Amino acid sequence: MNTFTIAFYLITISLSIASIIYAISFVFENKRLREFGKEEIFESLLNASILGLFLLLFYSGNIFLSFSNSITSSTCNFSNNNILCFSYNYLIGNGITYGGVYYSSLFSYVLNLLIESSLAYVSFGLISSLKIGNFFISVSFSNLLFPLLTEMGLLIKELTLALIFVLIQGLIIKLAALVVLPIILPIGLALRSFYATRELGGLLISFSLALYIIFPTTFLFDAQVLNQYKLSLLVPNLNNILNQTTYTNSSIIETLENVGNEIKSTINNSIKDINYAITYTILYVFVLPAFNIAITIAAIKEFARVFGYKDYSYERLFRWL
């Protein structure tokens, strides 16, 4: 017996109770009881209609699944909702193909960028500790590399937070696929069948629809932004700089000065690349998901208005959540 069957039985029970209350109201000639019974009968019939609509959308009719399959062909092994699979693959799955271009998952990209940045940070840290010269002349790269190391340290911290945030979003998507339709939505229908728990039931239904449909769909728009610009981080190669430096009969001081100028120029360019990487990582991992969450919360509020949650204030909505 699945949870939708249980919800159907509970709706039937609530309809029976409402009918009994309505009949008793005529026996006692109680107008208020009669209005209450009439309202409960209406709500029970409405719940039955909602249950039928959801079965048509998500199960027997597969209307929503047909729609999601027409939007994207992205698949996963835990859901037949292609839009939800697309968002999962976009975040932490196998990657997506958008506009004819394949993109690895955001988690894989951030992880690779974090590994590359960490290795570069360690390498430049070792270089900054070196000193070149002899008894009379000594040159250190510590002051030269300090700005680059500072920027790379900020990038590594940001990428670590980004990795955690992306992982959390991906797990939320997977959790939605596993529990929304089989558990949360039917429980919401069951709770909405009774007067005392109607608002909580309406909120659970709203939460289910927003989490299963709206939240995953927002990542389609994120992918559109991703398709416009792909992140890149250029890590300078000091060996190439040193190899390309022309050594002439000039003095050691002049040679070191030329090498230092070339390294400084490349480091400045690399700092710009790191700043771009920071900016676009913030965009993809923090800013766009913030809009996604805001849209999802707004959808929960509007769905709740439809399904009987009477207090529409965000303060009370967050208390329920």
Side-chain angles (χ1 to χ4, degrees):
M1 182 183 295
N2 60 42
T3 48
F4 273 97
T5 303
I6 296 174
F8 172 76
Y9 286 139
L10 290 175
I11 290 173
T12 304
I13 291 172
S14 69
L15 178 60
S16 302
I17 294 174
S19 300
I20 293 173
I21 293 174
Y22 186 70
I24 291 176
S25 69
F26 284 97
V27 176
F28 292 99
E29 296 182 354
N30 190 318
K31 187 176 180 180
R32 291 182 60 185
L33 190 62
R34 186 179 308 162
E35 291 298 322
F36 176 76
K38 185 189 298 184
E39 183 177 342
E40 288 303 299
I41 290 174
F42 172 77
E43 290 291 345
S44 298
L45 294 174
L46 181 60
N47 282 342
S49 301
I50 294 172
L51 175 61
L53 176 62
F54 287 158
L55 290 174
L56 191 64
L57 282 175
F58 301 117
Y59 285 99
S60 59
N62 283 335
I63 295 175
F64 175 75
L65 296 181
S66 299
F67 170 74
S68 68
N69 293 346
S70 67
I71 296 296
T72 175
S73 59
S74 185
T75 59
C76 53
N77 58 7
F78 55 84
S79 177
N80 53 2
N81 178 355
N82 283 9
I83 294 178
L84 194 146
C85 289
F86 178 92
S87 61
Y88 178 82
N89 289 330
Y90 168 82
L91 289 167
I92 63 174
N94 299 323
I96 60 170
T97 300
Y98 194 88
V101 180
Y102 172 78
Y103 298 98
S104 62
S105 68
L106 203 56
F107 181 84
S108 298
Y109 183 81
V110 174
L111 180 61
N112 291 334
L113 192 57
L114 178 60
I115 293 173
E116 293 174 5
S117 301
S118 299
L119 291 175
Y121 184 82
V122 172
S123 300
F124 291 132
L126 292 174
I127 293 173
S128 67
S129 64
L130 297 177
K131 291 184 179 182
I132 301 176
N134 53 30
F135 182 78
F136 299 100
I137 301 174
S138 179
V139 178
S140 173
F141 293 102
S142 59
N143 292 333
L144 190 63
L145 292 174
F146 179 77
L148 178 62
L149 290 172
T150 301
E151 293 295 328
M152 294 192 73
L154 293 175
L155 177 63
I156 290 171
K157 290 180 182 178
E158 181 189 325
L159 290 174
T160 303
L161 292 174
L163 202 65
I164 296 172
F165 191 52
V166 169
L167 182 61
I168 290 174
Q169 292 178 81
L171 293 177
I172 289 174
I173 291 292
K174 188 170 185 177
L175 184 65
L178 296 176
V179 304
V180 165
L181 287 188
I183 299 176
I184 300 179
L185 185 59
I187 289 177
L189 283 167
L191 292 176
R192 197 186 181 283
S193 302
F194 300 96
Y195 176 79
T197 58
R198 181 156 298 139
E199 287 196 33
L200 177 59
L203 184 61
L204 287 178
I205 293 173
S206 307
F207 182 77
S208 300
L209 294 177
L211 197 59
Y212 192 77
I213 300 175
I214 304 301
F215 186 58
T217 304
T218 57
F219 289 99
L220 291 170
F221 299 100
D222 293 359
Q224 175 64 33
V225 177
L226 176 65
N227 194 44
Q228 300 298 320
Y229 187 89
K230 187 170 177 61
L231 296 179
S232 63
L233 176 64
L234 303 177
V235 179
N237 190 332
L238 291 183
N239 291 327
N240 289 339
I241 297 172
L242 294 173
N243 290 334
Q244 292 172 3
T245 304
T246 302
Y247 292 89
T248 62
N249 294 326
S250 58
S251 65
I252 296 177
I253 295 178
E254 290 177 349
T255 302
L256 292 175
E257 184 179 358
N258 292 334
V259 173
N261 289 335
E262 291 190 38
I263 294 176
K264 185 176 181 180
S265 176
T266 304
I267 287 175
N268 289 334
N269 293 331
S270 298
I271 290 176
K272 292 180 181 179
D273 292 328
I274 292 173
N275 288 331
Y276 279 123
I278 291 175
T279 300
Y280 285 100
T281 300
I282 290 174
L283 173 65
Y284 290 126
V285 180
F286 297 109
V287 176
L288 291 178
F291 281 108
N292 298 345
I293 293 171
I295 291 171
T296 303
I297 292 175
I300 292 174
K301 182 180 178 181
E302 294 306 314
F303 283 137
R305 188 191 304 270
V306 174
F307 292 108
Y309 188 74
K310 295 179 181 179
D311 189 340
Y312 309 122
S313 67
Y314 282 108
E315 180 181 354
R316 189 165 184 237
L317 179 61
F318 279 115
R319 284 204 304 270
W320 271 114
L321 293 176

